[in-house]
Amino acid sequence: MMSTSFVAMTSRGRGTADKELQTVHREVVVVGGGFAGLALADRLGRDDVEVLLIDRNNYHQFKPLNYQVATSQLGISEVGYPLRGIFRRHDSVKVAVGEVVAIDPDARSVTLADGTVCTARILVLGVGVDANFFGVPGAEEHCYPMYTLEDAERLSRRLISELDRVDSPLGITSDIDVVIVGGGPTGVELAGAIAENLRVVIAPRYDGGIASKVTVHLVDHGDALLKPFSDASHSYARRELEQLGVQLHFGTSVTSVSADGVELGDGSRIDSDTVVWAGGQRPPSLIADSSLPVGHGGRINVNDDLTVTGHDGVYALGDIALIPDIHGRGGETTSLPQLGSVAQQSGQHAARNILADLAGRDRSRFKYRDKGIMAMIGRGAAVAEIGRGRRHIQGHVAFLAWLGVHVMLLPSAWQRLAAVSSWVTDYGTSLRPRRVNVG
């Protein structure tokens, strides 16, 4: 049972009630409502374990589809779903909306922005990651990152505003250049969706050739797109994006960003009012400011049972954790990639280990079931590499596989139905509606 004890009281201004700062104790406290936290809380809830799930938002966001919100393919309600709705059948799982500002792994506690301290018998950390701008001058101030639903909605408003700006009573009087930094799955999928939007959906509705006035640039410091994929996927993604009119800039990096463009490492410049950052991610400063042990990229070191090294009773999951790959590819010690499937499976396995903890049994090692990787490029165009052996498929088969996998991962039946309906209209016709800007 959850217990509450009052530890401090602070007086607020005249005419307001005194604010009571409190300590809340729960058997399991989970920080983060992403794939890992959701899977873990759902599994523990089915066994009536008392769980407090804390997230800064009151909804779970399906991050792999954020780019489709940015390009008006899906609405917010199809990508974000209320956390309390997800756990409505689990009376033992409670949701708290709040910002965690401090972590004490020794006390197995977290402190919220309002001063509330949440302690636990078992603490689980799955807070996700933030954009990593790598210290590039102006990037944080002027770029549009793509890591939250708010980011996606902000970019959507920007793209619509740009189209409205150039479609003036005098005709299309200026160019639009959209720069996307990063050639990984997020950058490739976003570049393909924007370019396809312009050529297939938007251009036929305008006079004056708006598609010829808009250029999508993708900048990557490497020599290929989708680096974790095979050479066949690299070539296919490049060919498909170039056919959509995307200008690819390989072998150079962005050295600075301003309000009206980017400077590249090769000395060139691209004038642009819209620069999207898909070039890297890092754990939030909350992790670095704690006493948690961190390794490569600032991610938390964990044991093969997913407990934090040196902190029994504390688990770290998903993108913030350096989870050992116990299969030992090539005989080397490696960590698993930052993928939604890794996060989801780690959440499910950590739940089983927590049930073992509560029952006094031994924990088991986490073994990731590698089902493969995939990326969407446009209608009828995608790449997928299936299984640990990475069997390559591309084109319409990979496109349908991408749709099927992503729709099944959505947390509610309503979202699945809505997404399928949107995709049938979107990919089967050119009837995608232009969203409106409010405010």
Side-chain angles (χ1 to χ4, degrees):
M1 179 178 297
M2 181 172 66
S3 61
T4 303
S5 61
F6 300 119
V7 296
M9 294 180 65
T10 58
S11 177
R12 301 180 70 182
R14 186 177 63 181
T16 62
D18 287 346
K19 181 180 180 181
E20 298 171 330
L21 301 182
Q22 56 188 1
T23 296
V24 175
H25 182 77
R26 198 75 168 169
E27 200 159 32
V28 179
V29 168
V30 182
V31 182
F35 288 119
L38 216 63
L40 181 140
D42 178 70
R43 179 66 183 84
L44 295 181
R46 283 187 270 134
D47 278 56
D48 294 323
V49 176
E50 289 191 332
V51 177
L52 178 64
L53 178 68
I54 305 170
D55 197 279
R56 69 179 67 181
N57 302 308
N58 72 345
Y59 57 86
H60 166 74
Q61 58 175 334
F62 192 84
K63 285 188 177 181
L65 293 178
N66 279 354
Y67 85 93
Q68 294 205 358
V69 174
T71 54
S72 303
Q73 293 174 266
L74 294 176
I76 288 179
S77 62
E78 292 158 297
V79 177
Y81 196 80
L83 288 168
R84 291 185 178 91
I86 293 172
F87 298 111
R88 66 188 182 279
R89 297 178 181 174
H90 296 323
D91 292 337
S92 65
V93 179
K94 304 301 180 185
V95 175
V97 179
E99 182 79 20
V100 173
V101 296
I103 300 171
D104 185 341
D106 295 320
R108 299 176 191 169
S109 70
V110 296
T111 303
L112 306 186
D114 66 0
T116 301
V117 178
C118 302
T119 66
R121 179 175 173 181
I122 297 172
L123 177 63
V124 181
L125 305 174
V127 296
V129 293
D130 296 331
N132 188 350
F133 297 102
F134 300 104
V136 174
E140 188 168 2
E141 294 83 1
H142 300 294
C143 285
Y144 291 80
M146 276 296 295
Y147 291 93
T148 68
L149 263 180
E150 291 90 341
D151 292 338
E153 182 68 9
R154 180 170 164 252
L155 178 58
S156 175
R157 291 195 300 269
R158 175 64 180 180
L159 294 172
I160 293 171
S161 295
E162 283 289 87
L163 291 173
D164 289 339
R165 176 180 63 81
V166 300
D167 187 33
S168 71
L170 300 176
I172 301 171
T173 57
S174 60
D175 295 342
I176 300 175
D177 287 88
V178 178
V179 177
I180 299 170
V181 182
T186 298
V188 167
E189 291 180 336
L190 185 61
I194 294 175
E196 184 182 84
N197 239 353
L198 292 167
R199 289 181 173 270
V200 181
V201 180
I202 295 174
R205 304 184 186 187
Y206 285 80
D207 294 326
I210 192 171
S212 65
K213 294 292 185 179
V214 183
T215 304
V216 179
H217 303 262
L218 193 152
V219 181
D220 191 89
H221 60 80
D223 57 3
L225 301 169
L226 303 173
K227 184 178 178 181
F229 290 67
S230 65
D231 289 343
S233 293
H234 299 165
S235 299
Y236 180 81
R238 178 170 187 163
R239 182 170 66 251
E240 291 296 321
L241 286 184
E242 288 179 337
Q243 287 179 355
L244 286 170
V246 177
Q247 290 194 13
L248 303 175
H249 305 260
F250 288 123
T252 187
S253 58
V254 172
T255 56
S256 68
V257 184
S258 62
D260 58 359
V262 298
E263 301 288 341
L264 303 184
D266 60 9
S268 62
R269 172 183 171 82
I270 304 173
D271 293 326
S272 173
D273 297 328
T274 307
V275 181
V276 183
W277 193 271
Q281 54 192 23
R282 61 173 177 79
S285 57
L286 174 71
I287 302 301
D289 294 341
S290 72
S291 59
L292 292 160
V294 298
H296 178 70
R299 295 158 69 188
I300 302 170
N301 290 320
V302 300
N303 304 312
D304 59 16
D305 61 4
L306 302 176
T307 57
V308 175
T309 304
H311 293 279
D312 198 46
V314 181
Y315 289 79
L317 310 173
D319 290 348
I320 63 163
L322 277 173
I323 301 175
D325 183 355
I326 67 171
H327 290 287
R329 295 169 179 159
E332 299 179 358
T333 301
T334 59
S335 58
L336 291 170
Q338 293 167 292
L339 298 173
S341 56
V342 173
Q344 187 176 59
Q345 289 183 37
S346 68
Q348 294 166 343
H349 189 85
R352 291 192 288 271
N353 275 348
I354 289 172
L355 291 172
D357 289 338
L358 298 176
R361 302 191 307 269
D362 292 336
R363 305 184 192 110
S364 60
R365 303 166 73 195
F366 173 55
K367 299 179 181 179
Y368 174 57
R369 299 182 301 278
D370 191 344
K371 299 178 182 179
I373 50 180
M374 54 180 55
M376 171 77 78
I377 301 165
R379 61 181 67 196
V383 291
E385 299 185 2
I386 307 301
R388 196 169 186 84
R390 296 290 189 260
R391 177 173 175 268
H392 173 84
I393 59 174
Q394 65 185 41
H396 283 86
V397 174
F399 170 78
L400 293 174
W402 188 99
L403 294 177
V405 167
H406 284 73
V407 77
M408 291 309 299
L409 288 173
L410 288 167
S412 75
W414 180 90
Q415 284 182 301
R416 297 182 197 116
L417 180 62
V420 169
S421 176
S422 294
W423 285 334
V424 167
T425 301
D426 180 44
Y427 291 120
T429 72
S430 298
L431 300 178
R432 183 185 308 167
R434 279 191 63 196
R435 296 171 65 187
V436 298
N437 278 344
V438 179

